[in-house]
Amino acid sequence: MTFLIWFAAIALLVQLASIAFVIATRMLHRRGAHRPISKPPVTLVRPICGLENNLERCLASSFRLDWPSYELLFCVARADDPAAALAQRLMAENPHIPARLLVGEDLFSVNPKMNNVVKGWRNARHDWVVMTDSNVLMPPDTIARMMARWDDKTGLVCSPPAGTEPTNFGAMLESTWLDSFQARWQLFADAAGFGFAQGKSMLFNRHLITELGGFERLGEEVAEDAAATILIRNAGLKVRLVREPFPQPLGNRDIAAVWKRQLRWARLRRASFPLYFLPEVFTGATLPMAAMVALALNGNLPAWTPLAYLMAWYGAEVALARAYDWPTGWRMLPAMFARDLLLPALFVSAWFGSGFEWRGNAMTVADNDNGRTTRIRQAVARTRDKAREKARALVAARSL
């Protein structure tokens, strides 16, 4: 019984301390003076694939950025994709922003997204490149927020998605997963000095990535954000997060689809960073609450203690959501409770399975011997070797 008391107490302490730390960090930086930043030209690359919730609104936000000079590249794998027609219409409606639609797919990775966006990287006119997913709503100060985090120790700046505007319970479930759970822990890691990448929005410097082996190295992992994190950390640089995550309007969400997305991300985290993934099962309320209920049933704690414990646990998450203006309301509590009930099942499913689906593409986090995957991996190795040769030549030329 002593073990259960200590386990529940430590779990609650970690919950409250992590949230307090993230809120305090945000308040500190809000009060602090903003350092001036340079404003170089930027290339914005946005991969598109099919129609989804709020797509037109999210893509249209690309044309309203408060930055003196930037170009916009939409990347799509097939010309007949309905998102391509939408991008063309938006470009015609916003001729004041230099924009192009790039069509095609270069198979250098097992990641379809990377095979789509690599042409954007190769066609970028500027040294600073922002890659942002199609379902991210870009605030006018998107580039300024990202540039503000760059310093001489930085190799990548990114933003986790903040799930906003949920219109049904499934969307609220996804919001609680994205915001007070995932974004909270990413912001905590960043403030503690060991930030990791999130592929929704990423700021790169072309010269730096070339020196590290080229953009194609992001295809060395199934998930580009995991590959980017490994690449930047191995170079002795930091992955930084923006102070306030960019919104992803959710609209309606099917609970089964929410589960599939979370399972995909969990399996990718388990495959790329297994030691960091191991503690995830203890970060939700289910296991410590089970300990509290067992203690109360055995008479070791008053009957009201589990309810007070639950109020403290979720009250802190509500406070965090309000501090960041994330969705709250009456659906938040049952959504958080449902999320935490699903966490143990998600953890087990992530360890005992490798397959997942991304935008209609069947993928796996495990190595396999099917012909297409083998050809892609061989192409990755060839492209990586060529990129490293170019990087060495660039470094040699600079030293002359």
Side-chain angles (χ1 to χ4, degrees), residues 149 331 351:
R149 292 304 326 270
R331 289 181 299 190
W351 280 104

mmCIF file of all heavy atoms in Angstrom, residues 149 331 351:
data_model
loop_
_atom_site.group_PDB
_atom_site.id
_atom_site.type_symbol
_atom_site.label_atom_id
_atom_site.label_comp_id
_atom_site.label_asym_id
_atom_site.label_seq_id
_atom_site.Cartn_x
_atom_site.Cartn_y
_atom_site.Cartn_z
ATOM 1 N N ARG A 149 12.861 32.407 -32.340
ATOM 2 C CA ARG A 149 13.468 31.331 -31.559
ATOM 3 C C ARG A 149 14.825 30.898 -32.088
ATOM 4 O O ARG A 149 15.481 30.048 -31.490
ATOM 5 C CB ARG A 149 12.545 30.101 -31.526
ATOM 6 C CG ARG A 149 11.241 30.223 -30.779
ATOM 7 C CD ARG A 149 11.331 30.647 -29.334
ATOM 8 N NE ARG A 149 12.476 30.207 -28.567
ATOM 9 C CZ ARG A 149 12.546 29.076 -27.850
ATOM 10 N NH1 ARG A 149 11.528 28.243 -27.832
ATOM 11 N NH2 ARG A 149 13.620 28.779 -27.156
ATOM 12 N N ARG A 331 -17.359 19.819 -22.308
ATOM 13 C CA ARG A 331 -16.932 18.554 -22.912
ATOM 14 C C ARG A 331 -15.480 18.211 -22.607
ATOM 15 O O ARG A 331 -15.034 17.096 -22.860
ATOM 16 C CB ARG A 331 -17.128 18.611 -24.436
ATOM 17 C CG ARG A 331 -18.575 18.581 -24.879
ATOM 18 C CD ARG A 331 -18.702 18.623 -26.385
ATOM 19 N NE ARG A 331 -18.117 19.842 -26.957
ATOM 20 C CZ ARG A 331 -18.255 20.223 -28.220
ATOM 21 N NH1 ARG A 331 -18.956 19.463 -29.049
ATOM 22 N NH2 ARG A 331 -17.712 21.324 -28.671
ATOM 23 N N TRP A 351 3.297 -1.021 -28.841
ATOM 24 C CA TRP A 351 4.400 -1.973 -28.695
ATOM 25 C C TRP A 351 4.162 -3.258 -29.462
ATOM 26 O O TRP A 351 5.109 -3.899 -29.926
ATOM 27 C CB TRP A 351 4.624 -2.298 -27.214
ATOM 28 C CG TRP A 351 5.398 -1.237 -26.504
ATOM 29 C CD1 TRP A 351 4.922 -0.297 -25.646
ATOM 30 C CD2 TRP A 351 6.802 -0.974 -26.615
ATOM 31 N NE1 TRP A 351 5.937 0.526 -25.205
ATOM 32 C CE2 TRP A 351 7.107 0.132 -25.778
ATOM 33 C CE3 TRP A 351 7.839 -1.576 -27.329
ATOM 34 C CZ2 TRP A 351 8.397 0.644 -25.654
ATOM 35 C CZ3 TRP A 351 9.126 -1.060 -27.203
ATOM 36 C CH2 TRP A 351 9.393 0.037 -26.371
#
